[in-house]
Amino acid sequence: MKILITGGAGFIGLHLVEKLLKEKIDVVIVDNLSSGIRERIPESAAFYEVSIEDLSIEKIFAMEKPDYVVHLAAQVSVQVSMKNPLGDCLANIAGTINLLQNCVKYNVKKFIFASSAAVYGEPAYLPIDEDHPQQPISFYSLSKQTSEQYIKLYAKHFALNYSILRFANVFGPGQNAHGEAGVISIFLHSIFEQTPPIIYGGEQTRDFVYVKDVADGIYSALHNGRNRTYNISTNTETKINELLTLMLKKANTNLTPVIKTQREGDIGQSRLDNTQALTELHWVPRYSLDRGLQETIDIYTNKNS
Ligand SMILES: NC(=O)c1ccc[n+]([C@@H]2O[C@H](COP(=O)([O-])OP(=O)(O)OC[C@H]3O[C@@H](n4cnc5c(N)ncnc54)[C@H](O)[C@@H]3O)[C@@H](O)[C@H]2O)c1
């Protein structure tokens, strides 16, 4: 079995690549290294440094003939999408269409798409299930929502199989402090730099899912996913200030956080219902926030000591 992973040099991508290689699956990575890291790509994975926007990716499909495509590559920053909506659209919408065209032409068996809880906007109720109304509040979330619609139309008109995975706030080792939902890596960075972490508000809640569980969720979707949408989440919520207290305790530091007012557009509460993923994907998140944080801090400490 051969799987083409776009964005395979990024945070989630590298964890997925590691898992697939362990399962003895052939892996092909397509990544333009805009934020991905070449040195972290395992030698046993084939790697093409190219943008998903580039029409030349057809040559990769023709040569590699992947059985499955996992599409993780994206412009991932909400802030960047607000400053440069066209750039966001080209990477996230046009890039996705470019892949879909090739998936149809080269008979890919299934297309797995990394969408986001951001498509829901401010929740009308909790936990947020997959049928919750969608109200994108940034161009990033609009580009994810639009890509989802393209995928469904490709499925309808060209019989493409797909599963759409809407990730909650993913965290874990290897995350940089700039991407979407990187609050844990931002705090970690402050803690290890011994600079006071900044909290904007703090009463907001988020659903934090560990990156190894996300990689397992993608793997389960390859095998068990139907042509539908699944929340990949833990169905638990944690306040940001409680998260920081826990992290400071685990890192054994007594830095005093700087409290600022909550930023405009920051949603109040988030918790995603994962029942559909549990029952249909036969996937269970194995990491609590506590366990995931411990593993992340241990890996971070070992690397920097
Ligand atoms: N991290 C989260 O909490 C989270 C939450 C919801 C959804 N997601 C989605 O999951 C996916 C992976 O996110 P991540 O956290 O690993 O981000 P990341 O920035 O670490 O990885 C994205 C990868 O895509 C590559 N890339 C970007 N634009 C590209 C392009 N035009 N062509 C080819 N490669 C390109 C980057 O170099 C990088 O390696 C993204 O689609 C993101 O929107 C992430």
Side-chain angles (χ1 to χ4, degrees), residues 149-290:
Q149 299 305 323
Y150 269 97
I151 292 164
K152 287 178 189 166
L153 268 191
Y154 268 82
K156 187 173 170 200
H157 293 302
F158 307 113
L160 177 71
N161 287 319
Y162 74 90
S163 290
I164 292 167
L165 307 180
R166 292 186 186 141
F167 302 151
N169 290 50
V170 188
F171 75 103
Q175 187 171 30
N176 74 37
H178 310 294
E180 189 202 8
V183 61
I184 289 181
S185 56
I186 293 168
F187 285 164
L188 210 57
H189 195 72
S190 300
I191 290 169
F192 284 97
E193 295 285 309
Q194 285 294 302
T195 53
I198 302 171
I199 289 199
Y200 296 92
E203 287 296 302
Q204 315 91 303
T205 64
R206 294 291 180 269
D207 183 331
F208 294 104
V209 60
Y210 194 55
V211 66
K212 284 187 184 167
D213 282 330
V214 172
D216 285 354
I218 297 169
Y219 186 71
S220 303
L222 283 164
H223 297 290
N224 306 325
R226 302 187 194 167
N227 283 4
R228 65 187 306 188
T229 304
Y230 301 93
N231 286 336
I232 298 294
S233 61
T234 62
N235 201 359
T236 51
E237 53 186 314
T238 306
K239 285 186 182 171
I240 300 297
N241 45 25
E242 287 171 2
L243 166 75
L244 182 58
T245 306
L246 181 64
M247 290 181 71
L248 291 170
K249 195 169 152 219
K250 282 194 176 295
N252 203 14
T253 174
N254 52 7
L255 287 170
T256 308
V258 177
I259 316 280
K260 297 198 176 178
T261 48
Q262 189 167 328
R263 284 182 288 200
E264 213 180 311
D266 205 3
I267 62 165
Q269 281 179 289
S270 189
R271 173 159 64 94
L272 272 69
D273 191 332
N274 58 9
T275 313
Q276 210 152 270
L278 298 182
T279 50
E280 286 186 14
L281 301 184
H282 309 299
W283 164 81
V284 186
R286 290 175 296 125
Y287 283 79
S288 63
L289 176 62
D290 196 278

